[in-house]
Amino acid sequence: MRFYVLSFAMAAGFFVASSAIAQQEEVKLPPQATEFYKPEVKKVAPGKENHLPPADAIVLFDGSSLNAWVSDKAGSAPAPWKVENGTFTVVPRTGGIRTKEAFGDVQVHIEWSAPTVVKGTGQGRGNSGFFFMGKYELQILDSYDNETYTNGMAASIYKQHPPLANAMRAPGEWNTYDAIFTAPRFNANGMLVSPARITVIHNGVLVQNNVELRGPTMYIGIPNYEAHDAALPFHIQDHGDEVKFRNIWVRKLD
């Protein structure tokens, strides 16, 4: 009796499976059924070379002036750093600079160079930082044969994520950061809905792969999110070293 019940169940299962296969075989969609044309993808003319700003980019430094930036210390006063030969250089002890315009989700391109004359070690050597929304730091540091804590070296998300590789070029040579930053989201009550995320390519090497930020950058203590505006200025840090910058541009993604 058990044998017949089992055989019947197996037969029923075979019948159901066969029917499903038959039904799948009967459904024949044309290729067009899975194609769509709207909304159209917008056209963006790329730069003549991949490091140059595309047509929809906002150029924050083109080698001529720091008109897109102001002093951190003096509010709306002009950025006090030195511009010459298509670059600008941190003037130590004048304070950081920030953009006049505010940004949220972005693609950013930054080129920077550690001082040719090597001074100091660890965090005291070629140190600066690029702060998304003035809060989330992508570390700038001369990490070429320079030992320091790994979540504070070049291309780290400072005190949170060490880079996946040390792609640093020698002092005086130009480094490139290409970053995709997603701003955090907060609800109407100021509670965090989704944390900030970032992907960074350093000199063509993936060093941060869509990592989740734990909160704003903290030198001491544990980072914690507090609600803030959906768009805020970028900051570049004066850490006392004469770091140079050139060719900075951004594309808004939000």
Side-chain angles (χ1 to χ4, degrees):
M1 184 66 178
R2 292 180 183 175
F3 172 78
Y4 290 109
V5 171
L6 180 61
S7 298
F8 178 79
M10 292 175 63
F14 177 79
F15 177 78
V16 171
S18 299
S19 299
I21 292 172
Q23 289 176 1
Q24 289 177 1
E25 290 177 347
E26 289 172 4
V27 176
K28 294 182 179 180
L29 294 174
Q32 295 79 5
T34 53
E35 300 169 0
F36 55 87
Y37 295 84
K38 299 290 183 179
E40 293 183 6
V41 177
K42 73 172 184 177
K43 295 180 181 179
V44 176
K48 291 184 179 180
E49 298 180 42
N50 287 341
H51 68 287
L52 297 177
D56 64 346
I58 298 168
V59 177
L60 297 176
F61 182 70
D62 65 359
S64 61
S65 76
L66 283 170
N67 288 342
W69 304 78
V70 294
S71 168
D72 256 347
K73 278 187 175 181
S76 60
W81 294 357
K82 183 169 144 185
V83 178
E84 62 178 359
N85 300 322
T87 71
F88 70 86
T89 306
V90 177
V91 176
R93 294 171 292 282
T94 60
I97 62 174
R98 70 173 184 266
T99 55
K100 294 177 180 178
E101 190 166 349
F103 301 94
D105 296 352
V106 288
Q107 173 189 348
V108 172
H109 178 91
I110 313 159
E111 296 176 25
W112 61 276
S113 174
T116 304
V117 178
V118 177
K119 297 180 181 178
T121 59
Q123 294 292 302
R125 179 172 147 184
N127 194 329
S128 181
F130 188 90
F131 287 75
F132 293 83
M133 310 191 87
K135 296 177 179 292
Y136 309 98
E137 183 183 7
L138 172 57
Q139 174 72 313
I140 291 171
L141 187 78
D142 182 0
S143 291
Y144 188 85
D145 291 337
N146 179 31
E147 186 176 356
T148 189
Y149 44 93
T150 57
N151 62 347
M153 65 187 293
S156 66
I157 306 306
Y158 187 72
K159 287 288 184 85
Q160 295 191 33
H161 296 286
L164 297 172
N166 183 352
M168 187 72 191
R169 293 195 170 109
E173 296 184 20
W174 286 97
N175 291 274
T176 297
Y177 285 160
D178 287 291
I180 310 298
F181 176 81
T182 302
R185 266 60 171 176
F186 303 91
N187 66 17
N189 296 320
M191 295 183 65
L192 181 70
V193 175
S194 60
R197 308 190 72 89
I198 193 168
T199 294
V200 181
I201 296 173
H202 181 195
N203 294 332
V205 178
L206 180 66
V207 290
Q208 301 289 348
N209 189 11
N210 193 32
V211 296
E212 181 179 298
L213 278 63
R214 303 184 187 107
T217 296
M218 302 287 291
Y219 176 54
I220 298 173
I222 306 301
N224 288 292
Y225 280 101
E226 292 184 4
H228 57 69
D229 292 343
L232 290 167
F234 298 136
H235 289 228
I236 300 180
Q237 182 184 48
D238 168 16
H239 202 278
D241 296 316
E242 295 181 341
V243 179
K244 292 182 182 296
F245 295 86
R246 70 181 185 187
N247 192 25
I248 303 176
W249 51 265
V250 56
R251 296 181 64 241
K252 291 185 176 182
L253 303 178
D254 49 6

